[in-house]
Amino acid sequence: MAEKYPEYKGLNLPNVAKDVLDKWEAEQTFQKSIEVREGSPSFVFTEGPPSANGLPGIHHVMARTIKDIFCRYKTLAGYQVKRKAGWDTHGLPVELKVEKELGITKEDIGTKISVDEYNKACREAVMRYTDEWEKLTMEMGYWVDMDDPYITYDPKYMESVWWLLGQIYEKDLMYKGYTIQPYSPKAGTGLSSHEINQPGCYRDVKDNTCVAQFKVKPGEKVPFDQAKVDQLHLLAWTTTPWTLPSNTALTVGPKIEYVLVQTWNQYTHEPIQVILAKNLVTKQFGKKFVKVEDASSMNYQQGDKKIPYAIIGECLGADLVGIRYEQLLPYCQPHENADQAFRVIPGDFVTTEDGTGIVHTAPTFGADDAFVAKQAGVPPMLILDENENPVPLVDLQGRFRKELADPVFGLGGEYVKAEYLEEGEEEKELARQREMLKDIIADLKSYLSVDERITLKLKIENKAFNIEKYVHSYPHCWRTDKPILYYPLDSWFIKVTEKRERMVALNKKINWKPKSTGEGRFGNWLETANDWNLSRSRYWGIPIPVWTSEDKTEQICISSVEQLKSEAQKAVDAGMMDKNPLAEFVPGDFSKENYAKIDLHKNYVDEIILVSPSGKPMKREADLIDVWFDSGSAPFAQQHYPFENKELIDNGVEAFKNGTAPKGPSAFPTDYIAEGVDQTRGWFYTQHAIATLVFDTVSYKNVISNGLVLDKNGQKMSKRLGNAVDPFETLSTYGADPTRWYMITNAQPWDNLKFDLEGITEVQRKFFGTLYNTYSFFALYANIDGFTYSEADVPNRPEIDRWILSKMNSLIKDVTAAYEDYEPTKAGRLIQEFVTDELSNWYVRLCRRRFWKGDYTEDKISAYQTLYQCLETVAVLGSPIAPFYMDQLFCDLNSVCNRHTASSVHLVDLPKANEAEIDIDLEEKMDIAQKVSSMVLSLRKREQIKVRQPLQKIMVPVLDKDFARRLEDVKDIILSEVNIKEIELLEDTEGVINKKIKPNFKTIGPKYGKQMKQIAAMIGQWGAKEISEVETNGGWKGELNGEEIALDISDFEITTDDIPGWLVASEGRITVALDITITDELKSEGIARELINRIQNYRKDSGLEVMDRIKLTFDANDVVKSAIESNKEYIKNEVLALDIQYATLSENDGVLADLEEGDTRIDLVKG
RNA sequence: AGUCCUGUAGCUCAGUUGGUUAGAGCGCUACACUGAUAAUGUAGAGGUCCGCAGUUCAAAUCUGCGCAGGACUACCA
């Protein structure tokens, strides 16, 4: 047991962190914090796995601080909080990095480099920066178990993922189907949105656009009286004319207004009637056209400068739905339900910003198109190829199928985008086109793209209303630089749509911080969630565990290694394979060694051929699982569920469904997760989806989605801009505690943080500096007095002690509530306010004397105990946010007193608020004392009277008894604080006090809202007479604008604002008057105090110890001398002087005090 | 384009169920204090509460429409 509280020469927070880190390491404090809670209820935390193939940034410090705070808090609150670290290891970024390093592209995989080697490189690359991550984790004080992390490429983890997918498969929630995905024909691969959103992918391109005329079929019912069957067309715009042969529908907005326009075609000059959105008429009928009101008088000849047009009918989009039209370019028919094609359908996505308000719909090449078409039962333009498989009109190389061969325009077999042509091919094509098009274009100058030729054909056939170039942004493949296509690809999907409502319902049970993200962004997202596209044509990831026979009639989904092994054995027995690659694996043996024998990555499992029940070979589906499924599986896969730890999850699932506490240990659903808001549709979503689909539960109960960390100017941090903050440098320069404290208290976690290093300095000074000073102050005097908290708690403590204890208990209550509510910012700010304003700036300042003056009395012990309790409480409450310094503070205090057996603040129990010690009345009293003191100080300042100069009296008018009582109770505190002899409470006597009256808007408002203005005006006119009438009558009754008004006393706010003839200050309801008369007696006391101050300084400068006694010699004039004489005992007492003498001193003796009343030379010797 | 967040002093942020003088810290200026001293106190300057409209007796606060910044999702005729 230490005898003395450690005292420090200064506060070096980075060093504190280092020391405490060493201590944690030596004492295994983290492990202990979990062990001591063995048997306690568990608080389940799941770590969102970061990818270790990039370096951590300062935002990770932010995110991990938030995670850490609540895990530490819950530990203090009595829970066992296990935290497993995790690594996300699969995915495209890893692949890209490896390819870049090896200098290869995807095409080289399998040729220049084997899939084996490729995957090996990925495995190594992805864990490259784990050291840095572990270092950051340590230094920032994030407690998470890095020794036994879950890793998504681990066979056990992958096995659990397979199992989850198998459950979904068994529930018939998986299917394979076409969807429209970004596709790069030149690279031959689908692209994820991640790839499309890489910088530079969207580029402005100039495309040939076309407003096509779709002729309405004869006999169709149309909502226009003046329609002429042979002229009637629907107008639709497209920027990709090559999709027009695949058109199978036209989409209108049901609520959009459309019109019928009578006019002439600008290319064929034939009279036409066209339907388009009303808002877009002026846009489509540009310079070449002129509007005419009366259609019957219109006339037009070829060669006329302007083409007249007239609106001759109106309707809503809904009225157009169902109208059938003639196929625009009838090269092919959909192989299915062709009778359902070529009609007008409704769609909410239609806008009237561009085009015609009627959308050309090609379900094979547009996601929206596919969706609305499916809803309306319109088939996509798929035809059957040689093998009777349905295929779109464009092949995987980006070429039109041969069915589109046009005798004049070619098309069949050609690239739909000119950009796909190789060098030199264009020349050859041009020669061919010259020949083909010679009847239409005499001398063709340059190659015509597919788009250009299609529009040309439409022009000639009276099917084009307008053709022009149009600049818009279009995505390009980041690898080949060529424009992408939206193309239907065969992918595996999870039927999320089927469980959508359940996901919405379960979401309502999740406590979101902030609420709006859960209700808004996440809730809306769930309501419109589409089926989850699982397929990725990649190499480094978890393979889709589905094996299918070639004719697709037989299929198996594998859910475990054991199952795969036995299925593989069947195949070996059936002669499909020579040997079982999993022969070595022992089912049921979950040891590391056993699992080290196998690998479930693509390169291994693709070798495995299984046998179907009917004896056919089955091969694995080529694709991998979306990596988001990997991380979404974390709550289960990190436990290797259900192969191990089965009951941990099952207990939790059961408890959640029954709404009871789990029967035994439980690790699900997760109690708490926290990640960036960018995970809303990422990890937050995938976890929720998997838990809902597989277990019909939530995945997590509480979630914080935190905002971004921006630079101090509010710009996004990036390496490119050079404004990224290095987390390691920050931590080593400023220390983890102030960094964490700053991040948490400066902005709410879910708001973006403008990260400014100066803010950390401020926290360092303001909060930690003050706390350190307060501790140092305590340690200094406690060591002198030998305070070890060995005495029993002092029962009847002075007012000021009871006050700070009341505040302290309120603090415990409020901070606990804030933590419970996942509001760390509130908790931190409360603690900070308590330390700087309450404890340091008021309690310690007022009590300083009690610590260093006099003997070791009960009052002194009370002061020590009180301050000790406050410091200890702050240490515990603040430890989740500032784990290092608070641990040191706690241990420093505890090292002498041993009130706790725990060796760390992180192992103790959270203090409980003692309601009996909370005294609101007392807190209000002190509030009065603080206000009055500050007002007196401000008056002194105004009059230039130093605080050291005692004054006789202050007067405070009191308007109610409660206020008088409270003031009376704290008057000693006020008097000593502002150096005044007495306080006089002025009772209400007319004439002495000036009163002011104001209406109480809050109480009058609800009663007489309408007359509020007049009432306020009337009261504003009132003087002393009316005020006293209100006071004697206890209210006011009268008539105002013919209305009876009755106000009682509480409807008024009566305040004082002046005492005539006195120096007065007023603030809120309190008024203070100061008597500034300085009598001779006061004057001499002032001189005495002035001298004491100089002597104290001199003592200190002379290097005397606090307890040393001295002898004094003064060389002073008579005024000063008489002041000394009349305060002799007082001075001696204050400066610990044994004796006072007068003598003539030389300039070399002592110090000179330049007082107003005459310079005085002071000399002292140790006595 | 959609969804969500943010907008209050030079900067970072508070601001209760709407209630009449809109606050704090930092910074700046001036002064004071000096047994917490690389600390502290007091005072001062500094506001179109992003804009407009509405609801209301009363709007920083509620509603609508905008503007600016940010995030996510989507990218379309």
Side-chain angles (χ1 to χ4, degrees), chain A residues 512-573:
Chain A
W512 278 86
K513 296 304 277 191
K515 214 172 177 194
S516 58
T517 299
E519 284 174 357
R521 189 185 287 190
F522 194 66
N524 294 340
W525 167 253
L526 290 181
E527 274 166 32
T528 59
N530 290 326
D531 284 349
W532 182 352
N533 185 348
L534 265 188
S535 294
R536 294 292 182 274
S537 15
R538 311 231 186 276
Y539 296 90
W540 179 238
I542 303 182
I544 291 180
V546 175
W547 273 257
T548 314
S549 64
E550 200 168 347
D551 61 6
K552 319 247 183 239
T553 55
E554 290 173 280
Q555 198 170 67
I556 186 169
C557 182
I558 298 292
S559 288
S560 69
V561 180
E562 180 174 355
Q563 187 189 6
L564 184 59
K565 181 180 176 177
S566 75
E567 289 297 329
Q569 194 54 47
K570 284 184 201 165
V572 171
D573 297 342

Side-chain angles (χ1 to χ4, degrees), chain A residues 957-959 985-993 995 1028 1031 1056:
Chain A
V958 289
L959 299 177
L985 276 53
L986 287 182
E987 294 294 330
D988 176 22
T989 346
E990 209 176 326
V992 179
I993 307 167
K995 287 190 188 167
S1028 84
E1031 283 177 322
T1056 54

Side-chain angles (χ1 to χ4, degrees), chain A residues 658-715:
Chain A
N658 299 336
T660 56
K663 266 195 248 157
S666 155
F668 187 81
T670 302
D671 281 300
Y672 166 64
I673 58 171
E675 301 292 331
V677 67
D678 52 327
Q679 295 296 338
T680 307
R681 281 140 188 191
W683 197 54
F684 294 155
Y685 172 67
T686 55
Q687 278 192 91
H688 188 65
I690 292 171
T692 305
L693 264 58
V694 179
F695 295 96
D696 194 39
T697 65
V698 298
S699 184
Y700 43 87
K701 294 176 183 168
N702 300 284
V703 50
I704 294 181
S705 78
N706 56 270
L708 301 179
V709 179
L710 308 169
D711 78 359
K712 62 178 173 182
N713 301 317
Q715 297 291 309

